[in-house]
């Protein structure tokens, strides 16, 4: 019974963290929004302990800021923060291209090559869906597929520390970008859709082509940051902050834009339902 209780609490903690991360990415929990453990626990109808743990997890991921007197607040990233995120991931990925992907060539062992090619099958599907969503301007679908694409692609490097670091940067980058993109009439022009080209270059073990696609990816992000820094797009002033959606009880949710749907980590799956019953709900992937 003790082990079962631990699993239940861990699962609930992850469900709450996943649900709140989705709310931030969807823009329903707006930047600068403050809330307490008690408010979130009441919103989802769960006890305070897993909520507190989930909020501290999101704080560790850089999405929330905590204050022992005022509770938690959705972190407000600046254009300078965003540029630093892009520059950090560029440095790391440059090292990966130089030291890792360059090694995926004729000298690769048969066993490792088989694992590598099998992994690319799933990554290729994610790439196609992400590109389709970007070209169609479907931001909600794009975010989920884009995060999953890079996560699965990073797994081929076989270094969980690097993959987790890059995933954290991409989530933070999306949190910064989403409010701007949702209110930009030309947003579709600023949604990068080179995922299939990158997979094709990696499949061919074409080191130069991989670098060219990644250079385009990073330049695209920095050009968009320059546009923001030049004041070409400003965030609108919200008349009322949106509250988190309760997947288990929509009637108890705060105000939200009904056109914006929750963004699961895997876009093919529904968002997590919050329940303290280990037999119901799901843990986010």
């Amino acid at each position: 019974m003790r082990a079962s209780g631990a699993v239940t609490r861990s699962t609930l903690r992850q469900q709450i963290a996943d649900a709140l991360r989705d709310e931030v990415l969807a823009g329903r929990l707006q930047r600068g929004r403050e809330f307490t453990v008690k408010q979130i626990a009441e919103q989802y109808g769960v006890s305070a302990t897993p909520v507190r743990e989930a909020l501290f997890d999101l704080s560790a991921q850089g999405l929330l800021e905590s204050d022992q007197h005022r509770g938690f607040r959705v972190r407000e990233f600046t254009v300078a923060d965003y540029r630093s995120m892009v520059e950090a991931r560029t440095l790391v990925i440059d090292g990966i291209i130089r030291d890792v992907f360059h090694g995926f060539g004729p000298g690769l062992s048969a066993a490792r090559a088989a694992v590598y090619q099998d992994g690319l099958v799933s990554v290729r599907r994610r790439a196609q869906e992400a590109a389709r969503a970007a070209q169609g301007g479907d931001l909600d679908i794009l975010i989920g597929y884009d995060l999953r694409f890079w996560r699965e692609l990073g797994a081929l490097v076989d270094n969980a520390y690097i993959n987790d670091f890059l995933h954290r940067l991409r989530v933070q980058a999306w949190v910064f970008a989403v409010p701007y993109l949702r209110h930009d009439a030309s947003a579709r022009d600023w949604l990068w859709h080179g995922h299939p080209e990158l997979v094709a270059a990696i499949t061919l073990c074409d080191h130069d082509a991989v670098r060219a696609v990644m250079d385009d990816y990073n330049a695209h992000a920095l050009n968009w940051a320059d546009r923001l820094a030049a004041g070409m797009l400003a965030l609108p002033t919200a008349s009322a902050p949106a509250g988190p959606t309760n997947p288990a009880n929509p009637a108890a949710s705060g105000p939200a834009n009904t056109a914006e749907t929750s963004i699961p980590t895997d876009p093919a799956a529904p968002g997590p339902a919050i329940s303290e019953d280990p037999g119901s709900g799901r843990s986010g992937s």
Side-chain angles (χ1 to χ4, degrees), residues 197-276:
E197 287 78 7
L198 179 58
V199 175
I202 292 173
T203 301
L204 295 173
C205 298
D206 188 333
H207 180 266
D208 292 336
V210 170
R211 181 173 292 281
V213 176
M214 290 307 305
D215 285 347
D216 175 72
Y217 172 59
N218 294 319
H220 186 94
L222 292 176
N223 287 339
W224 185 69
D226 290 340
R227 181 169 179 256
L228 296 183
M232 297 178 67
L233 183 64
L235 286 177
T237 301
S239 57
T245 299
N246 184 343
N249 183 11
S253 303
N257 182 348
T258 55
E260 298 171 1
T261 56
S262 183
I263 306 164
T265 305
D266 183 351
I274 305 303
S275 171
E276 295 198 74

Side-chain angles (χ1 to χ4, degrees), residues 146-158:
D146 180 78
L147 289 174
R148 191 64 176 266
F149 167 80
W150 290 107
R151 187 99 174 161
E152 292 187 4
L153 184 61
L156 298 178
V157 176
D158 199 25

Side-chain angles (χ1 to χ4, degrees), residues 41-277:
E42 291 177 349
Q43 186 71 44
Y44 287 120
V46 296
S47 58
T49 298
V51 170
R52 184 178 296 104
E53 293 170 340
L55 293 177
F56 278 121
D57 287 345
L58 294 179
S59 297
Q61 294 168 27
L63 301 186
L64 302 179
E65 295 175 331
S66 62
D67 185 300
Q68 62 178 343
H69 301 297
R70 304 181 67 175
F72 293 82
R73 182 168 65 94
V74 179
R75 185 171 175 182
E76 299 183 72
F77 294 105
T78 66
V79 175
D81 290 330
Y82 177 75
R83 290 187 64 90
S84 294
M85 295 173 201
V86 175
E87 291 165 358
R89 80 184 184 205
T90 299
L91 288 172
V92 174
I93 292 175
D94 279 350
I96 293 174
I97 294 173
R98 182 185 66 246
D99 299 330
V100 180
F101 281 132
H102 190 57
F104 287 112
L108 195 64
S109 70
R112 185 72 182 98
V115 171
Y116 183 65
Q117 292 301 326
D118 286 346
L120 281 176
V121 172
S122 176
V123 172
R124 188 175 292 110
R125 288 197 298 268
R126 306 291 182 193
Q128 293 167 349
E129 294 296 339
R132 187 177 299 118
Q135 291 166 342
D138 194 334
L139 186 60
D140 290 321
I141 298 299
L142 170 61
I143 294 171
Y145 276 117
D146 180 78
L147 289 174
R148 191 64 176 266
F149 167 80
W150 290 107
R151 187 99 174 161
E152 292 187 4
L153 184 61
L156 298 178
V157 176
D158 199 25
N159 187 317
Y161 294 98
I162 291 177
N163 202 15
D164 287 346
F165 172 73
L166 291 175
H167 180 70
R168 170 176 168 167
L169 285 180
R170 288 196 177 91
V171 171
Q172 292 179 352
W174 273 119
V175 168
F176 167 79
V178 163
Y180 291 98
L181 292 171
R182 287 201 186 282
H183 299 91
D184 184 0
S186 62
R188 184 181 302 186
D189 299 332
W190 293 97
L191 298 177
W192 188 78
H193 51 79
H195 309 74
E197 287 78 7
L198 179 58
V199 175
I202 292 173
T203 301
L204 295 173
C205 298
D206 188 333
H207 180 266
D208 292 336
V210 170
R211 181 173 292 281
V213 176
M214 290 307 305
D215 285 347
D216 175 72
Y217 172 59
N218 294 319
H220 186 94
L222 292 176
N223 287 339
W224 185 69
D226 290 340
R227 181 169 179 256
L228 296 183
M232 297 178 67
L233 183 64
L235 286 177
T237 301
S239 57
T245 299
N246 184 343
N249 183 11
S253 303
N257 182 348
T258 55
E260 298 171 1
T261 56
S262 183
I263 306 164
T265 305
D266 183 351
I274 305 303
S275 171
E276 295 198 74
D277 177 1

